[in-house]
Amino acid sequence: GRRVRADACVCWRDPTFPASDTSLFFNYSTPLAQFRGEISWLRPQEICSAPRLFSDNPQEGKVKQGILGDCWFLCACAAVQKSKYLLAKVIPPGQPSWTDENYRGCFTCRIWQFGHWVEVTIDDRLPCLGGKICFSQCQTEDVFWLPLLEKVYAKVHGSYEQLWAGQVADALVDLTGGLAERWSLKDPRRSTERERTGKVLDKILFRRLMNLKERCVISCSVLSSRQGTSELGEFHAFIVIDMQDLSRILGENVILLRIRNPWGRRCWKGPWREGGRGWIQLDPVVASELLSQIQEGEFWVEEEEFFKEFDEITTGYPVTEEGWLQSLYTDNVLRHTQTLRGSWVKGQTAGGCRNNSSFPTNPKFWLRICELSEVCIALLQKHRKYSVDWAGRIQNLPHGAEESPSLTEGIQGKSYRAVGLHIWKVSDKRFNLPKTLSAPPVVSTICHSYDREVHLRCELTPGYYLVVPSTFLKDAEANFLLRVFSTGRVALRCVQVANSILKKSSPANRLPSGEWETMQLQGCWKKGQNAGGSRNFSSFRTNPCFPLSVSAGTGESRVKVTLHQHCQDNKCCPIGFHLFQVPSNGLKTHTFLHTEPLISCVPHCYSQEVSHLCRLSSGNYVIVPSTYFPDTEGNFTLVIATKIDRKCLQSQETLGQMLQEVGGIFNYTMAEERNRDKLTI
């Protein structure tokens, strides 16, 4: 019989994600609702006699889908399996297991959320039907890394039901912190422009992607109803795991692809299915070898047939063991990254697309390319269906919230804005804004789309570039994250209108009128490392130091420094900062820390943010943020705003041509919307 721990009653129970219907369901709008009242919660030691987190046999740990429609998430889980770096990042090693004396029934995983790796802790009670796990599981029932990670992801989203339907690309970003790209395999509106941007996948690029199959997951989906595809399942995501070129053997161009179905069953009825007529062309020994390679839920399909029957490919950028992204197109390692947050605010910075005369009011960013580089620029918007805390963690809405009448409606239409991204090259930072924005951009998204993230890949020469993210509609409000990945050195800074530097800034901390270039720097104080406290303590010199260079110009520059600590209002620690002028040879020796600061933001305040506006002559400076007492831990953002010496310009002309608004399509494991009450397992 199964062995149940005698001390199971003392195992931890997560009060924020209880073993109840509130954790299973959101609004009972998916086929999962038919199991209401039938699902029980069991711990792994109640499901099998000897639970394990991982298996040494890769086959035993492969993902297998249950009755939950989250194939999109499982494809991303398969990508995590391919990288030791990602696996350790998402599931931190060294956690107590079921055989350890100090095990108390909880696990901690990390999910990337809007720029942060967020730790999420759950108890190990899992949804079951008839004593068996009913959602995702590994091929062998005693391996539990997958159902535990799935529970973590469900907790982040609020419930298991909210994992029903989604984009493979979104899950790949959440589990890797990187980028994921989608291509269509067919498009009746094929054009040179679409092919140039790579949004329609040709066979040359597809075969290149297949060469990366050991380092990243290649997911494929069927999105539309066509004769012959019903056995695949519409809106269902598969994984392409292998490619075999039979051209030499057969004397004609025949390439076979091996596909895995997360459902764990074979569903292909084409000529290369088991017993199909395609195998007659091959020597029996070769045919037997290829057929012996397929495992549960796998099948072979010919490449031409694949392009005919499937609609879309999604692939995440490979992640090296050092944690860098690697280009899907060139194998180049994108070692340089920059990240900034921004927002579209109604009446201020939500200027809409280039059809609107208000387009120049959109958020603007300086991108400086220091050397010829392959660059990927990504625009990620926050999910609007949830409230989010400072770290990007999703906070649950009450059940039955009126703004989300149905799950699928929220996912498909209301959760994201249609967004786009445009980039212009400029000679320097002082240029004619209307004239620049009226000219064609160097590179841009071909349309505004409802995807959570849109991005561009291009090769850029050294110089300054103006990056403008926008929503399709004017006055459409949202928060976003702009990320840059590059093979060469880059610098990303924000240009904002006064009073919009920090959304939560108090009136006293807001900027004077005008246009400001801002730089946001993330930092933290850690006990025993760099939490040095104020200048009253000898450990002050260990605090983080941020260099600031003011270039020579027409006199002094107006600079505003704001230190914002990440905390709740009632849990703030006293903070402040000092600004030192640094001699040409003093930065490496840190001798400037023994001199009197040029500017001091004192006394240290129990406030979320403190700031100081000053005038600085050209030269080198260092900003040292600190808490009052040493060894006080915390995270902070340092915002440095520099006044741009030019008049604010606005364009009153209509810019560009009409842009197309395209909605993203989500992968479901149900038939189609009219048959939503029927769940195929």
Side-chain angles (χ1 to χ4, degrees), residues 406-649:
S406 73
L407 175 66
T408 52
E409 181 180 356
I411 288 174
Q412 290 180 307
K414 293 188 175 181
S415 55
Y416 297 121
R417 300 293 190 189
V419 297
L421 194 58
H422 297 75
I423 301 175
W424 286 267
K425 188 169 186 179
V426 295
S427 56
D428 54 43
K429 292 184 178 181
R430 289 170 175 80
F431 62 94
N432 185 299
L433 184 62
K435 182 178 179 180
T436 297
L437 297 184
S438 298
V442 173
V443 63
S444 67
T445 52
I446 58 174
C447 61
H448 283 62
S449 73
Y450 282 107
D451 292 327
R452 187 179 78 169
E453 185 169 53
V454 298
H455 50 85
L456 300 168
R457 175 203 162 266
C458 50
E459 189 174 89
L460 297 180
T461 56
Y464 285 99
Y465 294 83
L466 184 67
V467 181
V468 183
S470 63
T471 57
F472 182 77
L473 299 176
K474 180 183 176 182
D475 288 336
E477 294 194 310
N479 297 316
F480 63 83
L481 184 71
L482 190 66
R483 299 190 289 160
V484 178
F485 302 85
S486 173
T487 56
R489 293 173 294 118
V490 295
L492 182 67
R493 295 190 179 186
C494 179
V495 178
Q496 291 182 323
V497 177
N499 300 338
S500 63
I501 295 297
L502 290 173
K503 193 174 181 180
K504 296 182 180 179
S505 292
S506 62
N509 284 338
R510 291 178 180 171
L511 290 169
S513 61
E515 197 172 8
W516 296 73
E517 176 185 359
T518 69
M519 176 171 55
Q520 296 186 26
L521 304 169
Q522 307 296 321
C524 64
W525 297 288
K526 287 188 176 294
K527 182 178 180 180
Q529 298 181 30
N530 64 348
S534 67
R535 295 184 72 222
N536 296 330
F537 302 92
S538 59
S539 56
F540 173 76
R541 60 184 178 80
T542 65
N543 279 300
C545 295
F546 295 89
L548 169 64
S549 178
V550 177
S551 59
T554 56
E556 295 180 329
S557 296
R558 299 185 72 184
V559 177
K560 185 165 187 178
V561 180
T562 302
L563 175 63
H564 181 96
Q565 62 173 311
H566 302 167
C567 66
Q568 298 177 358
D569 288 328
N570 60 347
K571 295 183 179 180
C572 292
C573 62
I575 59 171
F577 61 83
H578 298 80
L579 187 147
F580 296 86
Q581 188 159 18
V582 182
S584 58
N585 60 347
L587 187 58
K588 292 183 179 180
T589 61
H590 279 54
T591 54
F592 61 86
L593 291 174
H594 301 291
T595 65
E596 282 297 312
L598 187 66
I599 293 169
S600 293
C601 188
V602 292
H604 285 60
C605 298
Y606 284 91
S607 174
Q608 275 202 320
E609 67 182 43
V610 293
S611 64
H612 193 95
L613 178 64
C614 58
R615 291 182 179 272
L616 298 177
S617 56
S618 61
N620 296 317
Y621 302 86
V622 163
I623 302 169
V624 183
S626 65
T627 57
Y628 183 77
F629 291 107
D631 290 336
T632 303
E633 295 195 326
N635 298 300
F636 63 83
T637 298
L638 188 67
V639 180
I640 304 171
T642 304
K643 183 79 161 55
I644 297 177
D645 187 20
R646 71 162 181 241
K647 295 180 180 179
C648 294
L649 300 175

Side-chain angles (χ1 to χ4, degrees), residues 55 86 122 142 163 175 216 234 240 260 338 366 369 381 411 450 471 554 605 617:
S55 171
L86 287 177
I122 55 164
D142 63 347
L163 300 187
L175 294 187
C216 62
E234 288 185 294
V240 187
R260 179 181 299 143
Q338 294 282 310
W366 292 121
I369 304 296
Q381 56 177 314
I411 288 174
Y450 282 107
T471 57
T554 56
C605 298
S617 56

Side-chain angles (χ1 to χ4, degrees), residues 328-366:
L328 290 172
Y329 300 86
T330 64
D331 283 341
N332 289 331
V333 177
L334 308 174
R335 299 180 184 276
H336 301 269
T337 63
Q338 294 282 310
T339 302
L340 282 179
R341 288 171 175 78
S343 60
W344 295 288
V345 180
K346 183 178 180 179
Q348 297 181 36
T349 59
C353 70
R354 297 179 70 208
N355 301 319
N356 301 288
S357 60
S358 56
F359 178 78
T361 66
N362 278 299
K364 296 174 283 293
F365 297 85
W366 292 121

Side-chain angles (χ1 to χ4, degrees), residues 233-253:
E234 288 185 294
F235 306 108
H236 184 50
F238 300 78
I239 302 172
V240 187
I241 58 176
D242 196 13
M243 179 174 69
Q244 292 288 336
D245 190 345
L246 304 180
S247 302
R248 290 185 179 181
I249 298 175
L250 296 178
E252 56 181 304
N253 186 24

